[in-house]
Amino acid sequence: MELPKKYKHEFPYSYALGPFPAFELLNCRPESARAVYYREDFTQQDKLTALCKKLGVPCYCSQKALERISQKEACYAAGKFAKYGEKLCPGLPHVALVHPGDMGNLGTIERTVLGFGIRDLALIGGGADRWHPKAVRASMGALFRLRVQEFESFDEYLREFGDNRDVFPFMLDGGRVLTPDTCPKSPLYTLVFGNESTGLPPEFQHYGQSLFIAQTAEVDSLNLAVAVSIGTYLFANQNGGAE
């Protein structure tokens, strides 16, 4: 067995670190799985090796391989997988992140939107590497159950998916305070969130009905993942989740 290399952005593959993300890779994206590694003391190794054998995925007991790819985190199992492309579903609600900067936030958001029934995530203008093992691990494997598509600009996204779709940018100077009572009803919508540090640029006021999550004056803004959680929960509760 050739030892795996530490992840780099330019690689055509990445790693799902941790037992649960590794199982999610095998269950949801088996065609992308390239190898699985586990420690000798991993308690679910029989289940893991049996699944790998069934899928035809190479499976190795190698703590040295895990130490090389896990960046000093305790890791009992991991999967190596090829990066893949996909397209969003045009007839379902979307969440759009404009230049997200934090990989941990990105993974948490992927886990959150899936938890509220939204399976389509647009990434606008670059930013955090969604394939980085830190982001994959923060998603707890939710990445493998989502459709994620990247766009150079929000206008590019709208040209492909903007027809008959309501757009709701979340902004600190949003025009409508979002509460359970004021949450809009919409048959097809996109919730748009900005960068952790700068939020959405002013021009997003013109893309649709801007929204604001009320907060006390003691903080200047909410964490991006928290804001996405609140917005997604309210819209899913008002309009029904998406499968």
Side-chain angles (χ1 to χ4, degrees), residues 160-175:
E160 187 167 351
F161 295 104
D163 291 347
N164 302 313
R165 179 178 291 273
D166 297 321
V167 176
F168 297 99
F170 282 67
M171 308 181 73
L172 289 177
D173 55 351

Side-chain angles (χ1 to χ4, degrees), residues 113-143:
V113 298
L114 180 64
F116 293 133
I118 293 180
R119 294 182 177 271
D120 294 87
L121 180 66
L123 300 180
I124 313 295
D129 179 5
R130 70 181 175 109
W131 300 114
H132 194 284
K134 182 178 179 179
V136 178
R137 186 162 194 169
S139 81
M140 286 301 289
L143 168 67

Side-chain angles (χ1 to χ4, degrees), residues 72-243:
K72 299 182 180 180
E73 296 183 33
C75 187
Y76 285 85
K80 178 181 178 181
F81 65 94
K83 297 176 181 178
Y84 51 87
E86 59 217 328
K87 294 182 72 68
L88 306 183
C89 180
L92 292 177
H94 299 166
V95 167
L97 303 180
V98 179
H99 201 72
D102 184 273
M103 290 178 292
N105 272 342
L106 178 56
T108 300
I109 288 168
E110 290 172 334
R111 185 180 181 186
T112 297
V113 298
L114 180 64
F116 293 133
I118 293 180
R119 294 182 177 271
D120 294 87
L121 180 66
L123 300 180
I124 313 295
D129 179 5
R130 70 181 175 109
W131 300 114
H132 194 284
K134 182 178 179 179
V136 178
R137 186 162 194 169
S139 81
M140 286 301 289
L143 168 67
F144 302 122
R145 294 183 181 269
L146 294 173
R147 292 175 289 266
V148 183
Q149 188 173 348
E150 299 182 36
F151 302 86
E152 290 293 327
S153 68
F154 194 65
D155 286 335
E156 179 187 347
Y157 164 80
L158 288 178
R159 284 194 292 271
E160 187 167 351
F161 295 104
D163 291 347
N164 302 313
R165 179 178 291 273
D166 297 321
V167 176
F168 297 99
F170 282 67
M171 308 181 73
L172 289 177
D173 55 351
R176 181 175 182 175
V177 176
L178 181 66
T179 70
D181 294 328
T182 64
C183 184
K185 290 186 177 181
S186 171
L188 187 63
Y189 59 85
T190 297
L191 309 183
V192 189
F193 299 86
N195 176 270
E196 290 89 344
S197 299
T198 60
L200 289 173
E203 59 263 27
F204 274 81
Q205 290 281 9
H206 306 295
Y207 281 114
Q209 173 61 65
S210 62
L211 300 173
F212 171 65
I213 300 173
Q215 61 192 52
T216 67
E218 280 73 21
V219 295
D220 64 347
S221 65
L222 297 174
N223 172 274
L224 175 60
V226 171
V228 174
S229 298
I230 294 171
T232 306
Y233 169 76
L234 290 177
F235 268 82
N237 188 61
Q238 179 74 284
N239 298 284
E243 291 299 328

